[in-house]
Amino acid sequence: MGKKVRRIGVMTSGGDSPGMNAAIRAVVRACAYYHTECIGYYRGYQGMVNGDSVKLNARSVRNIVNQGGTILQSARSKDFLTKEGRAKAAKNLKKDEVDAMILIGGDGTFRGGKVFSQEHDVPVIGVPGTIDNDIYGTNFAIGYDTALNTVVEAIDKIRDTASSHNRLFFVEVMGRDAGFIALNSGIGAGAEEILIPEEDLGLERLLDSLERSRRAGKTSSIVVVSEGDKIGKNVFQLADYVKENLPNYDARVTVLGHIQRGGRPTCFDRVLASRLSVKAVELLLDGKRDLMVGMLNNEIESCSLERALKGKHNINKELLKISEILST
């Protein structure tokens, strides 16, 4: 049994995702409910290294549940990658009398937390916040649902132009190594093809599919491309290849980029962030440590950080089949 947790630190790290503010709010207010103090660290691990902290209470997080981004800001810290940097962070936590940390972020955040906990005996709990949704141990990460809705809304608007001008649009979405955004938004927006890193469609099969669509009477098409897809070097070269081999298509490219990270979080993400973050506080107060909280089958569960980092969140094969059927 570790020492009693009297003060909890919280920070956001890595890429921002909609709902992080809702998570911060839930951590702070859960601490207040359980008569535990809360300290926020700015810019993730860099704030811990620099000792850039702020005391938080229930009133200091008012009116942020509906805001995108993160009031604590986020950054990637080169200093924290070194033993010296982590030692400095531990010294600052001791100075702030912080007994445990809640880390809101993705796999890089959890990897750093695991090492930090082992080296300096600081209990940590990870709360998954990443639009890529590529974290093992949870069906959904904070921000994923909002990003999906942003992408679908954008593709709906692009389709209006595609239909008006008989064009083929390649729409690139985020997902460096995971195709969750591409697959689900592609189905939701009625894309003719979906290209993801987990499934190599192949250039010839893509050409065959687009040609079949043209012969079937489709005058415009949408192809959703995950940025990590391996079918071409990049989405622009992919579009050029199609233009060369299917001259009947007027192919265009839209890269949605960082609009997928912003915006007001959906109700789903606000509720998810609240549930996960309250559970994270409760786990620390119960003496638990080095875990990640997640939602599995609508129940809040926890698993070890090590398992979360080593496991793989697999693409739903049923959705792949559905996308193929619906693109007919």
Side-chain angles (χ1 to χ4, degrees):
M1 177 76 68
K3 67 177 181 178
K4 181 177 175 62
V5 173
R6 300 180 185 277
R7 182 175 286 186
I8 292 174
V10 61
M11 61 91 155
T12 51
S13 177
D16 64 305
S17 61
M20 280 185 165
N21 277 328
I24 295 168
R25 173 181 179 268
V27 168
V28 174
R29 293 199 168 177
C31 284
Y33 180 84
Y34 288 113
H35 307 291
T36 304
E37 294 185 329
C38 187
I39 298 286
Y41 286 90
Y42 290 108
R43 296 178 301 281
Y45 288 123
Q46 194 60 47
M48 289 169 57
V49 173
N50 294 341
D52 192 2
S53 61
V54 60
K55 288 186 178 180
L56 298 172
N57 57 47
R59 300 286 70 78
S60 62
V61 292
R62 67 185 184 277
N63 299 329
I64 68 169
V65 68
N66 61 329
Q67 294 180 18
T70 161
I71 62 167
L72 291 178
Q73 302 181 324
S74 187
R76 290 178 171 85
S77 174
K78 291 183 178 179
D79 292 331
F80 195 79
L81 295 176
T82 68
K83 278 195 171 184
E84 294 78 12
R86 293 191 293 274
K88 192 174 179 182
K91 184 178 179 180
N92 286 325
L93 259 63
K94 186 175 182 180
K95 181 186 70 175
D96 291 337
E97 298 181 331
V98 168
D99 301 309
M101 286 294 302
I102 291 178
L103 316 172
I104 305 169
D107 57 354
T109 301
F110 299 158
R111 194 170 290 109
K114 181 173 177 288
V115 173
F116 184 71
S117 175
Q118 291 171 344
E119 288 181 350
H120 298 282
D121 193 27
V122 177
V124 301
I125 299 291
V127 175
T130 168
I131 67 168
D132 290 347
N133 203 47
D134 57 351
I135 301 293
Y136 179 82
T138 185
N139 295 138
F140 303 101
I142 298 166
Y144 172 61
D145 184 69
T146 305
L148 277 184
N149 281 276
T150 297
V151 170
V152 169
E153 182 180 0
I155 294 175
D156 286 347
K157 293 177 180 178
I158 290 169
R159 187 176 289 282
D160 291 342
T161 291
S163 300
S164 298
H165 296 275
N166 297 337
R167 284 174 178 161
L168 163 65
F169 268 89
F170 289 89
V171 182
E172 184 185 89
V173 301
M174 284 184 167
R176 182 179 68 251
D177 300 310
F180 295 100
I181 292 177
L183 180 57
N184 284 271
S185 66
I187 292 174
E192 278 66 36
E193 287 294 344
I194 303 168
L195 308 181
I196 59 176
E198 295 86 347
E199 295 286 323
D200 187 358
L201 179 66
L203 288 170
E204 296 309 312
R205 183 181 160 196
L206 174 63
L207 293 178
D208 289 343
S209 175
L210 291 173
E211 182 59 20
R212 283 198 307 273
S213 294
R214 190 186 67 82
R215 289 198 301 266
K218 290 186 178 180
T219 58
S220 64
S221 293
I222 300 288
V223 177
V224 177
V225 184
S226 175
E227 63 181 339
D229 179 65
K230 306 300 191 295
I231 193 173
K233 289 184 179 180
N234 58 57
V235 68
F236 295 98
Q237 289 192 357
L238 183 60
D240 289 341
Y241 181 83
V242 171
K243 287 179 187 178
E244 292 171 5
N245 290 272
L246 296 176
N248 289 322
Y249 273 113
D250 181 10
R252 302 297 175 93
V253 172
T254 297
V255 177
L256 294 185
H258 285 79
I259 69 165
Q260 296 161 86
R261 290 199 184 280
R264 295 183 180 274
T266 60
C267 179
F268 181 90
D269 273 329
R270 299 181 199 190
V271 174
L272 176 66
S274 300
R275 293 179 70 186
L276 296 180
S277 300
V278 168
K279 184 65 175 179
V281 171
E282 291 175 342
L283 286 171
L284 287 176
L285 295 178
D286 286 342
K288 303 295 193 300
R289 59 179 294 164
D290 305 345
L291 301 172
M292 186 200 79
V293 290
M295 187 174 77
L296 297 170
N297 301 317
N298 205 34
E299 296 292 331
I300 303 302
E301 307 284 353
S302 64
C303 68
S304 69
L305 283 178
E306 183 174 7
R307 188 178 178 194
L309 289 167
K310 288 185 176 180
K312 183 174 176 58
H313 188 181
N314 294 316
I315 282 288
N316 187 325
K317 297 292 185 180
E318 179 188 4
L319 286 180
L320 289 171
K321 182 179 179 181
I322 288 173
S323 69
E324 182 179 353
I325 292 172
L326 297 182
S327 66
T328 303

